[in-house]
Amino acid sequence: MLNQAILEDLGRMVGSDGIILEREQLQTYECDALTAFRVVPGAVVLPRTTAQVQEVVRLCARHGIPFVARGAGTGLSGGALPAAGGIVISFARMTRILEVDIANQRVAVEPGVINAHVTNAVADHGYFYAPDPSSQPVCTIGGNVAENAGGAHCLKYGFTTTHVLGLEVVLPDGELVHLGGAALDAPGYDLTGLFVGSEGTLGVATKAILRIVKRPEAVQTLLAAFHSSTAAADTVSGMISAGMLPSAIEMMDRLSIQATEAAVHAGYPLCEALLLVELDGPVSEVESQMRMVRDLCALHGSSEVRVAQTADERALIWKGRKAAFAAMGRIAKNYILQDGVIPRTALARVLRQIEEMGAAAGLRIANVFHAGDGNLHPMVLYDDRIPGQEEIALDLSYRILRACVDAGGSITGEHGVGKEKQQEMGYMFSEPDLATMQRVRCAFDPKGISNPDKLFPRPRLCAEKAGPYQPHPLEASGVAEFF
Amino acid sequence: MATDLPKLEAEFAAIAGAENVVASEGGWLVSPASTEEVAGVLRIANARGLPVKVIGAATKQDWFNPLDFHAGRPGIVLRTGRMHSVREHAAQDLTAIVDAGCAWGEMQRQLAQQGQRVALDPLWPERATIGGIVAANDSGALRLRYGSLRDLIIGMTIVLADGSIARSGGKVVKNVAGYDMHKLMTGAAGTLGVITQVNFRLHPVEQVVRTLTVRSLDLAPLERLMHEISDSQMVVNAMQLRLRAEADGKEMHALDVMFAAGAECVEEQAKWLRLSAMRLHVEEAGRGVWLARQSVFESASRREAASRIAAASQAEAASPMEAASVFKVSLLPQDIARFLAHLQAAASGAGLRCAGVAQATGLITASLMGDASASAALLRSLRAEVESRSGSLALQSALPQIGPGLDRWGASIDALPLMRRVKQALDPNCILNPGRFVGGI
């Protein structure tokens, strides 16, 4: 696909030190953090400017070459997986913080800027950038924008989309547009809102204007041990009923606690369900609400409650939680991490269902999740040395997602659809829902070259007509009328 | 076409019921009762290329261009009023699904039975409908704390021009599956699809709410205080700067601050504000101050009505054209006080009256009243000023009164061709609210 003339053009555009063509080096880019899918790209370019990105994309458009933008490659759904023979546009050299405007609480950055570096740039003024995916020390804003990244604290502070005010975007034909802006409510359609979370299928962001948030006066983190996930879930419901909005509510089950303790020794009590609640805000508010949370934990039979007294104690608690995924290596050879969402009230019921599904399949499932917003991260543990077990694990992980949809939820809360959950999109959305999104996609990318064959259940050409409306099986059976 | 009309009317009647199809000059007023009925009506309109104007309570029609009716074709006014239920309120999940034709206030009353609400304060809540508020992307002072509709809507049901029914998002707050079509529809003025249901995330109704108003002869100390609060660790629900209304005899500008938290915290914050305001006048205020934005519209429309009556009673050519125009300005938070001061000085210099209220988020609702051509000239210069500071100025009044040649949105948007492609993709025959939006979309 990439002939010598094209490669030479690319080299002229980004400089000889800005293009990677050697097979071994290209292999670095064959997958993101979802390693199950691997495709070696035809070339990797590392532009330094928006103009260079435009040139590269124009060339792709001229020759119909698929491209995908890439930040740190920490995505968990294969969003940055290259297309065979396609081009990877790496933002490793567009890492400048362009403007810090504390007075207006705005920061403008290039897409290669690391999430945590935004906070570092404003911390001295008492501000922070709120979206905090677990990979925040390495993941980039460009990737966060593509995936609409979340994190533990989005319960209170919202997702990436809440914090992106404006974008500079290179469209798939190379045209440069500005969506939104530093001021609110720019005239016209909210294309910023559409672009965030579109997983690279609508173009490439080359600049983002972000909103920053004042650091709260006080932060308190509580750890509570429960003898059942139902008791922990009821405690969460109690907090919500009382009108509280903690900045984070996390839950871990016994298996995850064991793995985490083996890995980072966070000092977690071993129990069936561990609840981690963080409150932040004015001191008096945090103190009075923390009293209520403690009371609720006691009411629901918590066997042990600890409140972190120092910043170090709090950091240790979070270290355990954030290391939970990586820690699975301690208790299993392999695992598949999933990212389903359910209404909070279905928590205890769906957890039981997941446990039963695991037992029936003969596999263990560890659960670490954002309990406040019903975002589950079940990890299906398996051993790929046992023939057939990987297939069973994969099948089980997808069935768990479907159970989430059946409960009125979603197949992904923060990891994105990417390559991994393309087919599940067809389970969650009906054909007309997807056809509508596809029409929008075609308005941006009529040639289908911007991160093709992702997000939608199957590749479809822009001119292709959608089939007749077919009611979703659940809709037809009257189980649900809305997904 | 003319011979076709009775047949068309019968087709609409077959979908929505004869009593819900009213023939009017140039077309029909159709009131479907469900998403499916909307789809049926649109399928017919799309096949015939009939323009469709979508209305809820018609409170914000003046925010958009008049409908560009296709020459000689009958049109359809599609009313959402028969779709008016709160479909589902999952109180424990803090979510609700509401029909587009439901009045905002009615929805809030139903949600309040479980101590919850959608944390937004749009204009004319008793009349304005969910669909209209979403299509116009209205928001008020609470946006400072809770965000705008794009942050509060988690899913939507829409009917496209060709009658296909599409859902996006869902019933959970955290969800990144597929495009956020509901964000695209929010503020799209009904040009991309007809919104029939909206899924909201809810917040608890706050128990302790308190508003303090700080007054000053000069804007500067109020501005400083506002920025000091923005930069502090206090948690305020809303904050607005009101320009003094000279005609009402109120001589001072005002800064309103709404606190909502636990009783102890509210007390502390109020105390802090009184201390920080030092020599300025501070008073407890009622909820009424938060209707300031609405007052800007209402005083402008009273003035407009009065000038129409005056013009009608005089010889037509004798008096100069009077106008009352309302507009929305968006600026960076640091620029709002300067804009208000400039507005007041420039209006006074041009012999015009003005009013203005600015939210701490940077959104301003303002009005100019007086000679139409002087108003138009000032609006042009204000817009140039605002756009040079990366803001925008959008007119929220009917255009003929403020002078021809003044675009409603102004700013040259480099994404306009892209927006046109999005419109083309979703409504290729251009039947939905044609011509009403930015760039004649």
Side-chain angles (χ1 to χ4, degrees):
Chain A
M1 198 182 259
L2 301 179
N3 60 36
Q4 197 54 38
I6 290 173
L7 294 177
E8 279 169 18
D9 278 348
L10 279 175
R12 262 195 300 278
M13 289 168 185
V14 294
S16 56
D17 63 340
I19 184 164
I20 293 170
L21 297 170
E22 292 75 26
R23 176 87 198 173
E24 273 141 54
Q25 280 182 279
L26 287 176
Q27 270 171 354
T28 309
Y29 297 86
E30 68 182 0
C31 64
D32 56 17
L34 181 74
T35 54
F37 299 94
R38 292 169 196 265
V39 176
V40 178
V44 176
V45 292
L46 301 99
R48 289 183 189 277
T49 64
T50 296
Q52 288 182 354
V53 176
Q54 268 185 286
E55 275 194 87
V56 169
V57 172
R58 271 198 215 105
L59 177 133
C60 289
R62 210 157 47 236
H63 298 282
I65 303 164
F67 60 86
V68 59
R70 183 185 175 98
T74 55
L76 290 161
S77 58
L81 179 77
I87 291 173
V88 171
I89 303 173
S90 163
F91 281 100
R93 301 205 297 193
M94 286 179 71
T95 57
R96 286 179 304 161
I97 292 178
L98 301 169
E99 194 188 348
V100 176
D101 180 357
I102 295 294
N104 287 304
Q105 307 179 347
R106 309 281 196 271
V107 175
V109 300
E110 288 185 334
V113 168
I114 288 172
N115 174 303
H117 291 182
V118 180
T119 292
N120 294 348
V122 298
D124 285 351
H125 301 275
Y127 285 83
F128 71 110
Y129 177 63
D132 63 337
S134 292
S135 54
Q136 75 182 139
V138 285
C139 66
T140 65
I141 295 299
N144 290 177
V145 167
E147 302 296 319
N148 188 14
H153 292 83
C154 60
L155 177 63
K156 175 170 180 177
Y157 291 99
F159 320 95
T160 298
T161 190
T162 318
H163 300 273
V164 176
L165 295 163
L167 291 170
E168 178 186 83
V169 170
V170 175
L171 295 176
D173 63 358
E175 190 188 341
L176 187 71
V177 292
H178 295 83
L179 314 180
L184 303 175
D185 292 356
Y189 298 134
D190 180 11
L191 298 182
T192 317
L194 178 71
F195 191 92
V196 176
S198 61
E199 306 195 17
T201 61
L202 301 180
V204 180
T206 49
K207 175 184 165 184
I209 302 172
L210 310 173
R211 201 168 64 88
I212 50 168
V213 181
K214 191 76 182 179
R215 273 226 180 275
E217 189 182 14
V219 183
Q220 284 194 13
T221 309
L222 167 143
L223 211 54
F226 291 89
H227 58 80
S228 75
S229 57
T230 306
D234 288 346
T235 308
V236 175
S237 292
M239 286 186 257
I240 303 299
S241 296
M244 277 187 242
L245 183 59
S247 54
I249 308 177
E250 306 283 305
M251 217 196 275
M252 294 171 75
D253 68 2
R254 174 179 285 270
L255 213 46
S256 325
I257 300 166
Q258 280 170 343
T260 304
E261 277 305 301
V264 297
H265 314 291
Y268 288 166
L270 190 60
C271 57
E272 292 309 313
L274 187 67
L275 204 58
L276 189 165
V277 180
E278 189 157 285
L279 294 169
D280 70 16
V283 172
S284 57
E285 191 77 349
V286 169
E287 283 179 351
S288 75
Q289 293 204 348
M290 193 49 97
R291 280 193 294 274
M292 288 165 70
V293 174
R294 295 184 83 130
D295 290 348
L296 281 165
C297 289
L299 182 71
H300 293 285
S302 171
S303 55
E304 185 178 349
V305 173
R306 291 185 208 159
V307 177
Q309 300 297 339
T310 64
D312 285 348
E313 284 179 24
R314 199 167 62 243
L316 187 62
I317 288 180
W318 277 109
K319 187 180 173 193
R321 165 61 186 86
K322 294 204 172 191
F325 300 148
M328 285 305 142
R330 301 285 177 139
I331 57 168
K333 169 97 177 14
N334 310 89
Y335 69 95
I336 295 167
L337 168 63
Q338 269 309 352
D339 175 39
V341 190
I342 52 171
R344 188 171 35 228
T345 44
L347 213 55
R349 179 167 62 80
V350 174
L351 285 176
R352 265 197 309 278
Q353 194 183 346
I354 290 175
E355 196 181 329
E356 284 160 17
M357 290 166 78
L363 293 175
R364 292 181 302 166
I365 301 173
N367 282 295
V368 173
F369 51 93
H370 310 296
D373 40 32
N375 186 190
L376 307 181
H377 289 310
M379 284 164 285
V380 179
L381 312 182
Y382 68 98
D383 186 339
D384 64 2
R385 292 164 305 192
I386 300 171
Q389 200 169 69
E390 186 166 61
E391 288 69 29
I392 294 171
L394 259 176
D395 175 64
L396 177 59
S397 80
Y398 287 128
R399 283 192 290 121
I400 290 172
L401 289 185
R402 292 174 182 210
C404 291
V405 174
D406 294 347
S410 169
I411 56 169
T412 173
E414 55 187 3
H415 296 174
V417 177
K419 188 75 190 164
E420 183 196 28
K421 292 184 280 281
Q422 279 182 289
Q423 298 315 317
E424 306 322 300
M425 279 291 278
Y427 189 78
M428 180 163 164
F429 290 106
S430 72
E431 185 59 34
D433 304 340
L434 294 169
T436 304
M437 294 178 198
Q438 188 76 22
R439 285 202 214 177
V440 171
R441 198 264 159 95
C442 293
F444 277 74
D445 182 20
K447 292 181 176 166
I449 55 171
S450 190
N451 208 11
D453 196 14
K454 302 277 174 71
L455 201 147
F456 294 100
R458 65 189 174 91
R460 195 158 61 188
L461 303 173
C462 282
E464 198 181 334
K465 274 252 162 49
Y469 173 68
Q470 288 180 339
H472 189 279
L474 283 168
E475 207 175 353
S477 64
V479 172
E481 62 166 5
F482 189 86
F483 300 95
Chain B
M1 193 74 197
T3 54
D4 233 12
L5 296 184
K7 185 168 165 276
L8 267 176
E9 186 165 325
E11 286 183 38
F12 292 136
I15 293 165
E19 68 281 18
N20 299 308
V21 180
V22 179
S24 66
E25 200 184 339
W28 299 272
L29 177 67
V30 184
S31 306
S34 66
T35 299
E36 288 68 29
E37 289 186 13
V38 171
V41 172
L42 292 191
R43 263 195 293 272
I44 297 172
N46 193 48
R48 312 266 182 146
L50 307 178
V52 178
K53 177 177 177 173
V54 191
I55 63 166
T59 54
K60 293 177 283 292
Q61 292 296 309
D62 287 346
W63 293 20
F64 306 99
N65 294 329
L67 192 71
D68 179 14
F69 268 106
H70 301 198
R73 298 226 161 182
I76 296 161
V77 175
L78 194 150
R79 267 191 68 237
T80 57
R82 289 179 69 222
M83 301 182 281
H84 51 67
S85 305
V86 174
R87 299 241 148 211
E88 187 178 319
H89 178 193
Q92 260 297 321
D93 289 318
L94 286 164
T95 60
I97 302 177
V98 190
D99 284 345
C102 182
W104 188 267
E106 177 56 29
M107 170 188 75
Q108 296 289 55
R109 266 190 295 282
Q110 293 194 32
L111 300 176
Q113 289 171 7
Q114 308 273 348
Q116 297 178 353
R117 63 164 174 172
V118 178
L120 187 90
D121 48 350
L123 294 165
W124 310 296
E126 287 310 314
R127 288 186 290 139
T129 62
I130 307 300
I133 289 164
V134 173
N137 187 27
D138 191 20
S139 66
L142 286 176
R143 185 166 179 169
L144 183 65
R145 170 117 178 232
Y146 294 103
S148 61
L149 283 165
R150 77 199 291 283
D151 305 302
L152 300 170
I153 294 176
I154 56 174
M156 204 180 270
T157 303
I158 55 164
V159 184
L160 298 189
D162 65 5
S164 45
I165 298 169
R167 278 134 182 164
S168 69
K171 296 201 285 192
V172 286
V173 173
K174 199 171 182 185
N175 181 4
V176 296
Y179 296 156
D180 271 356
M181 297 296 291
H182 37 287
K183 289 197 172 64
L184 183 60
M185 296 294 149
T186 301
T191 57
L192 298 178
V194 177
I195 299 166
T196 58
Q197 281 177 14
V198 179
N199 309 5
F200 287 106
R201 71 172 294 190
L202 308 178
H203 287 87
V205 174
E206 289 123 340
Q207 298 304 308
V208 184
V209 181
R210 189 164 160 194
T211 297
L212 290 182
T213 295
V214 188
R215 292 188 187 276
S216 162
L217 281 169
D218 299 317
L219 271 173
L222 298 180
E223 181 192 10
R224 270 199 302 277
L225 189 55
M226 182 178 74
H227 293 317
E228 196 180 340
I229 294 170
S230 289
D231 188 44
S232 78
Q233 292 169 319
M234 292 205 294
V235 179
V236 298
N237 257 22
M239 196 155 46
Q240 68 185 5
L241 207 48
R242 277 183 288 142
L243 208 50
R244 92 175 132 229
E246 278 149 346
D248 300 344
K250 285 177 190 151
E251 289 173 358
M252 290 198 278
H253 303 293
L255 173 69
D256 305 311
V257 185
M258 187 198 292
F259 300 104
E264 190 187 345
C265 181
V266 166
E267 185 57 39
E268 276 175 18
Q269 297 193 336
K271 206 175 283 172
W272 180 93
L273 182 63
R274 283 183 182 277
L275 274 175
S276 305
M278 293 207 291
R279 280 187 289 277
L280 303 174
H281 176 78
V282 183
E283 69 201 22
E284 297 282 338
R287 289 175 183 266
V289 299
W290 300 106
L291 297 174
R293 201 164 62 97
Q294 204 163 301
S295 304
V296 172
F297 282 91
E298 280 153 11
S299 64
S301 65
R302 271 198 304 277
R303 177 83 181 188
E304 184 70 34
S307 76
R308 259 202 309 274
I309 293 163
S313 66
Q314 289 171 10
E316 272 177 37
S319 69
M321 269 289 284
E322 288 269 310
S325 50
V326 182
F327 52 100
K328 168 178 171 176
V329 172
S330 173
L331 280 167
L332 285 167
Q334 290 288 321
D335 292 333
I336 58 179
R338 186 196 342 219
F339 175 84
L340 286 180
H342 175 63
L343 169 70
Q344 193 150 51
S348 155
L352 300 166
R353 289 174 53 194
C354 72
V357 54
Q359 311 300 335
T361 51
L363 297 177
I364 301 166
T365 302
S367 68
L368 281 175
M369 289 161 279
D371 178 71
S373 61
S375 288
L378 181 51
L379 282 170
R380 277 197 186 84
S381 96
L382 289 175
R383 175 176 278 163
E385 160 91 15
V386 164
E387 289 179 358
S388 75
R389 306 191 70 85
S390 50
S392 61
L393 186 155
L395 296 165
Q396 294 181 324
S397 303
L399 273 184
Q401 298 154 8
I402 28 184
L406 192 61
D407 184 79
R408 192 169 283 281
W409 292 277
S412 62
I413 309 166
D414 62 11
L416 191 57
L418 176 62
M419 291 179 189
R420 291 210 168 95
R421 292 202 292 276
V422 171
K423 166 73 174 175
Q424 173 71 23
L426 294 180
D427 179 15
N429 299 338
C430 201
I431 63 160
L432 293 175
N433 281 350
R436 300 209 72 187
F437 200 41
V438 172
I441 286 175

